[in-house]
Amino acid sequence: MNDIENILRQISIWAIPVLFAITVHEVAHGWVAWKRGDPTAMLMGRLTLNPLKHIDPFGTILLPAMLLLFHSPFLFGYAKPVPVNFAGLRDPKRDMILVAVAGPVANLIMAAFWTLILWLGVHLAGSAPYFAEPMQLMGQAGILINGVLFLFNLIPIPPLDGGRVAVGLLPRDASNALSRVEPYGFIILIVLLFTGILWTVLGPAFELFQGIFFRLGGLA
């Protein structure tokens, strides 16, 4: 199998897990914000599982493709953030934390869903191998991408969810200081990603996450 065929095969395996991992993550933010008093995302049509409403040209398409092309040890992507008017929340400081936590929780739930798909694929291997192999591969991909998004978004750098949580929990002066990092947050994260520092930090936790969910899915 040449490189182009291998890349196309990888895309066919990863496309659905990646698209829905980032889509459900964003919908979870918007849904909780709506329930806590801010209808912005709902009014803008962002509370939908249609990936086309959430695609970011760089984060959803180019970045994952570049990571595949350069044989990155993990795949990563992101969607357009759903708009949230924090001032519209019933209790802005507390509800900001709830809105932020919703994204990683959604990825944890999706990791459990893909674990079930993996488990079914493992147990169908003898009776329905034609279906079993795609289920196993997509199950593994779903666990991996949701594990990456879950752990990545816990990093306490705004605008990541962990940064939002930290801003909501810290005392006022520290909270204000951290919130001023937000305009530079993605630049910092891209630098950490392509220098390998990010993987050095997240790698051990990711290996633990992967090992637990793969074992639950029936892989030794």
Side-chain angles (χ1 to χ4, degrees):
M1 183 180 295
N2 61 40
D3 286 344
I4 294 178
E5 290 175 337
N6 185 57
I7 290 172
L8 291 176
R9 181 173 183 269
Q10 291 298 315
I11 290 174
S12 70
I13 293 168
W14 284 86
I16 292 176
V18 168
L19 284 174
F20 281 97
I22 60 182
T23 295
V24 175
H25 179 104
E26 294 301 331
V27 170
H29 286 315
W31 185 83
V32 172
W34 177 39
K35 292 301 181 180
R36 299 310 304 166
D38 173 36
T40 306
M42 185 269 293
L43 293 174
M44 295 182 67
R46 294 293 303 277
L47 299 190
T48 173
L49 294 179
N50 178 1
L52 296 177
K53 294 286 188 177
H54 304 281
I55 286 176
D56 178 275
F58 178 76
T60 311
I61 300 172
L62 292 178
L63 179 58
M66 289 167 60
L67 293 174
L68 274 175
L69 184 62
F70 290 102
H71 306 289
S72 169
F74 69 97
L75 194 65
F76 174 72
Y78 59 86
K80 290 187 296 186
V82 294
V84 177
N85 176 17
F86 292 107
L89 299 171
R90 296 191 185 100
D91 184 336
K93 192 172 179 68
R94 182 198 64 189
D95 292 345
M96 177 175 67
I97 296 172
L98 297 177
V99 171
V101 166
V105 169
N107 289 124
L108 198 58
I109 293 170
M110 281 188 287
F113 166 78
W114 287 111
T115 300
L116 176 60
I117 298 298
L118 173 59
W119 184 89
L120 289 172
V122 169
H123 286 79
L124 287 173
S127 58
Y130 182 81
F131 296 102
E133 183 179 4
M135 292 173 69
Q136 289 183 42
L137 293 174
M138 291 183 70
Q140 292 176 62
I143 291 169
L144 294 176
I145 185 60
N146 282 288
V148 168
L149 288 174
F150 172 74
L151 294 169
F152 181 81
N153 277 285
L154 296 181
I155 297 173
I157 299 176
L160 294 182
D161 302 327
R164 303 273 192 206
V165 171
V167 167
L169 292 176
L170 288 171
R172 179 178 298 176
D173 289 346
S175 175
N176 290 339
L178 182 59
S179 66
R180 286 194 288 271
V181 173
E182 182 161 345
Y184 316 103
F186 273 119
I187 296 173
I188 295 170
L189 292 165
I190 292 296
V191 171
L192 293 175
L193 176 64
F194 283 100
T195 58
I197 295 173
L198 189 62
W199 180 246
T200 300
V201 174
L202 293 184
F206 178 71
E207 294 295 334
L208 177 62
F209 185 101
Q210 172 185 309
I212 291 172
F213 281 86
F214 275 18
R215 283 195 295 273
L216 290 173
L219 294 183

